Amino acid sequence: MNPIVSGLEALIDPTVLVCLLLGLVLGMLVGAFPGITATMAVALASGFTLTLEPVQGLAVLLTIYVAANFGDRVPSILVNTPGTPASIATTLDGYPMAKQGRAGLALVISALVSAIGIFASMILFAAAAIPIARLALEFGPSEMFALVLFGLTVMISISSKSMIKGVLAGVAGLALATVGRDPITGDQRFTFGINDLSSGVDFIAVIIGVFGIAELFDQLLTHHASKVRPISSLGRWWPNKAEYRQMGKPLAVGSVVGMIVGVVPAAGGDIAGLIGWDRARRVSQRPEEFGKGSIEGLTASDTASSATLGGSLTTTMALGIPGDSVMAVMIGSMIIWGIQPGPSLFTNRPDLVVSITAIMLIATILSLAISLVRMRGMVKLLDVPVHYLWATILMFCIVGTYATTNNIFTVVIMLIAGIVGLIMKRTGFPVGPLVLGLLLGPLAESNLRRALLIEGPIGLVSHPISAALIALALFAIIAPIVGRVRQKRTATAAARTEAGNALVKSSKGPHA
Amino acid sequence: MSSRRRAKATPTVIPAAGVAGTPSPADVAPELAAQPSRRLEIVTAAIALGASVAGFALALAIELRTETGGVDPRFWPTLLSLLAGALSVALLLIAVLRPPFDRSDLEAANRQGAIRLVVALVVAILYVVLWQLAGYLVATALFLAALLWVFGGRSWKTLIIFPVLTTAFTYVLFHTLLKVPL
């Protein structure tokens, strides 16, 4: 059957519609509550979508992904607190606009450009996913290993303040992935005679632990009463003609930045938003207004962070390397459904590209509609007492984890992962590389060993694609280190010059 | 604890490779930020080194059904533990010789928070045990009520109605609709 027809046909099912609506409500809510990220919500939802059909489950998870991307703008604009990391850049101009009495306008512009960003990026997904997958299908073991290494190093360079801690977290993830049966020979490794460990450390439990429980524990540890009140005067809602015209250029800049950042493995909306905002300021005729309530700034940041969605999906589905942290969780769920994202997915199931594209587009339209209609009501959500939120999250983490395997051992793993995640967070170790290492570990190990067995170490650098990817991976680790050393040198030099000047002045002072 | 409290945003790490000169709105207010600590850095580096050494020993001790030598199942864990060991030594040297890492993106822990965390963890462990003994419905309702009390809820609606309704809702969702045996 034609893949387009069968892909769309899979959506004509009342359960899929219910799943879409459920995802919409959940996504909007988690987006709007600061402290619950989309990654955490998708990790939790993966617990109760495992028993669904893949397309139904994808409808829930992808819609949460999309809707959270709209909901998180609301607290950014009204209380200067990003609902999820993806809306960090929204606060730069969104909150100043709200303070000027233009909160309604900021909310509408944000929702409109977020929708446009996602639409633009979905064109990229629909057009590029299959060709990229076809290209990657030609990859041998050395190319696959290099690709995994590249994804991991990008994640490390993005998420770490200290490169050493980032690489250590990644290595810890890869090491954790070796627990269980050897991917090639089937020998037991690090199972210590525990039967539950022979199939490996449960990925979903670790994800719920480090992204869900650890975040919650951190809030329990550090929470204090906050006195910021949401902006209550919302003012005008719809932009006028001049304002629409202002949005054109930053919209284009933001879309391009978002799509490029989205395709880069592990880089998501938070980074894209900041880069998009910065790029739009550089090309703007009114750069001085950025950060003080500029419509251009808001447009650029929100378009860029939303336009990462399609790019991230492309990398995830076509290469099997997660495009951002939400996608890492998604890969875990898909594997449990028996779908292995990666080059062979779209050649085997081209209809899934159509289903995924359609789900993303419908989710975007619904999220946009609900954003334009219900934004006033969402402000009230911010007043829900925090103890309800904490208790519910903790319960859902435990029950959701149990639901994935019906085994209490998984819950224990999840709680341990939560404590480890909290310690990592408090000591400056990023959890992203740990999760990515755990997810990609078997892929990395089996491909490296195969490559070494076939051609020896030279095979890794003799193929042009793998050599290029390994070079990029090295660059991703070394460039930030060099950048930081340079920055430090410049700062020291500047401090020395200043101190020198002060000395000259003070020595001249009394004689003048 | 006031019922009007709102969840504070999770402090978010601004990407290290982010945009130079871009303001970072998610940074924590200076008076609430966690302080850098050399002792913490040394302890974490030492733990990482200990774990690497343990990992190396365990990797060499992996039992194989057939000894092939070379690139066998011991190869990758050994490689990883050696890499982790080298990085841990570097981390330890940095912790001793260089100023400790900036932690201003994290909020400082407070005593009340530490107590809240430990109690919540204990309640969670008791929940897992009680679930096995008393079944999902009773354990979950009690668990939610206990947590809400620990987190500062005091009204009867919070301590009775909310736990009962939430337990019923999740039971219908998981057990009845999604066929997850609870």
Side-chain angles (χ1 to χ4, degrees):
Chain A
M1 199 194 293
N2 182 339
I4 296 180
V5 177
S6 57
L8 291 176
E9 228 171 37
L11 300 182
I12 311 172
D13 169 6
T15 322
V16 171
L17 183 68
V18 174
C19 290
L20 275 166
L21 293 176
L22 183 73
L24 183 68
V25 173
L26 280 176
M28 279 283 173
L29 287 176
V30 298
F33 280 123
I36 315 180
T37 61
T39 315
M40 193 167 162
V42 172
L44 280 179
S46 63
F48 60 82
T49 47
L50 295 178
T51 51
L52 299 174
E53 290 292 313
V55 172
Q56 297 168 349
L58 279 173
V60 178
L61 301 185
L62 288 173
T63 315
I64 293 179
Y65 184 43
V66 171
N69 209 57
F70 283 81
D72 65 357
R73 273 40 171 180
V74 178
S76 294
I77 291 169
L78 297 179
V79 279
N80 200 25
T81 302
T84 72
S87 64
I88 286 172
T90 311
T91 58
L92 300 177
D93 279 300
Y95 186 61
M97 279 183 77
K99 278 203 293 192
Q100 294 156 5
R102 296 189 294 158
L105 187 64
L107 289 169
V108 168
I109 289 178
S110 168
L112 287 174
V113 301
S114 295
I116 295 172
I118 298 177
F119 283 140
S121 71
M122 284 316 292
I123 297 174
L124 170 80
F125 173 73
I130 291 181
I132 290 179
R134 285 225 177 101
L135 178 73
L137 212 53
E138 307 293 321
F139 282 12
S142 50
E143 282 92 352
M144 275 317 285
F145 171 73
L147 183 64
V148 171
L149 193 69
F150 172 61
L152 203 56
T153 51
V154 171
M155 174 63 120
I156 290 165
S157 79
I158 284 166
S159 60
S160 320
K161 275 199 301 184
S162 149
M163 274 300 147
I164 297 183
K165 287 184 178 179
V167 178
L168 259 174
V171 171
L174 291 171
L176 209 56
T178 60
V179 174
R181 285 183 201 289
D182 179 89
I184 296 175
T185 65
D187 283 297
Q188 297 268 358
R189 295 188 296 185
F190 311 116
T191 51
F192 309 107
I194 303 169
N195 212 11
D196 289 312
L197 282 180
S198 67
S199 53
V201 177
D202 192 276
F203 178 70
I204 298 279
V206 173
I207 278 204
I208 295 180
V210 298
F211 284 125
I213 288 277
E215 288 295 328
L216 176 74
F217 284 173
D218 191 55
Q219 285 182 33
L220 293 178
L221 194 62
T222 59
H223 184 77
H224 56 273
S226 158
K227 293 189 184 71
V228 188
R229 301 296 310 149
I231 300 275
S232 53
S233 132
L234 298 180
R236 177 163 61 90
W237 285 78
W238 290 93
N240 58 34
K241 262 188 195 161
E243 286 160 347
Y244 276 122
R245 265 199 295 276
Q246 271 186 54
M247 287 157 61
K249 202 190 264 170
L251 196 68
V253 174
S255 301
V256 173
V257 168
M259 284 192 264
I260 294 171
V261 175
V263 171
V264 174
D270 42 354
I271 297 154
L274 290 169
I275 298 179
W277 185 87
D278 188 60
R279 290 287 136 191
R281 182 176 58 172
R282 286 181 196 198
V283 298
S284 170
Q285 285 167 341
R286 282 168 291 205
E288 71 284 353
E289 287 177 15
F290 276 59
K292 295 176 188 146
S294 159
I295 287 180
E296 289 180 47
L298 178 71
T299 306
S301 62
D302 280 8
T303 318
S305 77
S306 310
T308 56
L309 269 61
S312 285
L313 262 182
T314 311
T315 313
T316 311
M317 302 294 171
L319 298 177
I321 306 285
D324 59 24
S325 50
V326 179
M327 286 293 130
V329 187
M330 195 85 81
I331 289 183
S333 294
M334 291 179 74
I335 290 173
I336 294 179
W337 287 320
I339 303 172
Q340 175 73 52
S344 56
L345 175 66
F346 289 151
T347 35
N348 297 341
R349 305 262 328 251
D351 56 307
L352 261 188
V353 186
V354 181
S355 297
I356 290 171
T357 310
I359 291 171
M360 291 288 287
L361 294 181
I362 297 169
T364 308
I365 293 167
L366 289 175
S367 303
L368 176 63
I370 211 170
S371 296
L372 295 177
V373 176
R374 289 306 310 162
M375 269 174 173
R376 274 170 208 274
M378 282 180 70
V379 180
K380 291 197 182 118
L381 277 178
L382 296 171
D383 278 337
V384 172
V386 71
H387 51 251
Y388 286 118
L389 208 60
W390 286 345
T392 318
I393 293 175
L394 190 49
M395 186 210 60
F396 265 98
C397 284
I398 294 176
V399 181
T401 308
Y402 179 78
T404 57
T405 55
N406 298 330
N407 185 349
I408 216 76
F409 183 79
T410 322
V411 177
V412 175
I413 295 274
M414 186 273 291
L415 287 173
I416 295 172
I419 296 167
V420 172
L422 175 70
I423 295 171
M424 288 179 71
K425 190 180 168 94
R426 303 298 305 172
T427 52
F429 284 86
V431 293
L434 175 93
V435 168
L436 206 61
L438 176 61
L439 179 71
L440 300 178
L443 204 62
E445 180 182 3
S446 50
N447 281 300
L448 174 65
R449 277 165 62 187
R450 276 192 198 113
L452 290 178
L453 287 171
I454 298 168
E455 288 176 285
I458 194 74
L460 294 174
V461 285
S462 61
H463 298 256
I465 294 179
S466 70
L469 284 169
I470 289 175
L472 281 172
L474 286 176
F475 178 76
I477 292 285
I478 293 167
I481 298 176
V482 173
R484 265 176 240 173
V485 170
R486 249 190 218 165
Q487 222 171 5
K488 225 176 245 175
R489 269 197 202 147
T490 322
T492 324
R496 266 194 207 140
T497 322
E498 215 165 84
N501 287 344
L503 205 67
V504 171
K505 260 186 201 168
S506 66
S507 63
K508 275 182 184 168
H511 307 289
Chain B
M1 204 190 309
S2 152
S3 64
R4 306 302 287 174
R5 278 185 178 185
R6 217 175 317 109
K8 177 79 180 69
T10 319
T12 315
V13 178
I14 292 291
V19 190
T22 311
S24 47
D27 266 2
V28 178
E31 69 277 11
L32 296 172
Q35 296 301 312
S37 156
R38 184 185 298 276
R39 203 170 54 178
L40 187 72
E41 298 296 336
I42 293 177
V43 170
T44 46
I47 292 174
L49 185 58
S52 315
V53 173
F56 182 67
L58 287 170
L60 292 183
I62 293 173
E63 285 178 29
L64 302 181
R65 285 173 296 189
T66 40
E67 291 284 350
T68 51
V71 189
D72 63 6
R74 286 188 200 121
F75 165 76
W76 179 242
T78 312
L79 184 71
L80 290 176
S81 59
L82 286 175
L83 180 59
L87 290 167
S88 307
V89 170
L91 201 61
L92 196 59
L93 286 177
I94 290 174
V96 174
L97 301 174
R98 311 276 304 171
F101 282 107
D102 172 47
R103 297 172 78 213
S104 59
D105 58 323
L106 289 171
E107 283 184 70
N110 52 58
R111 202 182 140 69
Q112 200 196 358
I115 296 171
R116 192 162 45 203
L117 170 63
V118 172
V119 176
L121 196 59
V122 171
V123 173
I125 293 167
L126 288 178
Y127 171 52
V128 172
V129 176
L130 190 66
W131 186 349
Q132 308 298 302
L133 299 176
Y136 177 78
L137 292 174
V138 175
T140 307
L142 285 177
F143 169 66
L144 281 173
L147 274 187
L148 286 164
W149 191 83
V150 171
F151 296 154
R154 288 293 179 270
S155 74
W156 66 275
K157 278 186 203 159
T158 307
L159 296 178
I160 297 172
I161 301 287
F162 182 78
V164 169
L165 286 182
T166 312
T167 306
F169 170 73
T170 52
Y171 190 77
V172 171
L173 176 70
F174 284 101
H175 191 271
T176 314
L177 292 177
L178 296 168
K179 315 280 183 225
V180 175
L182 289 175

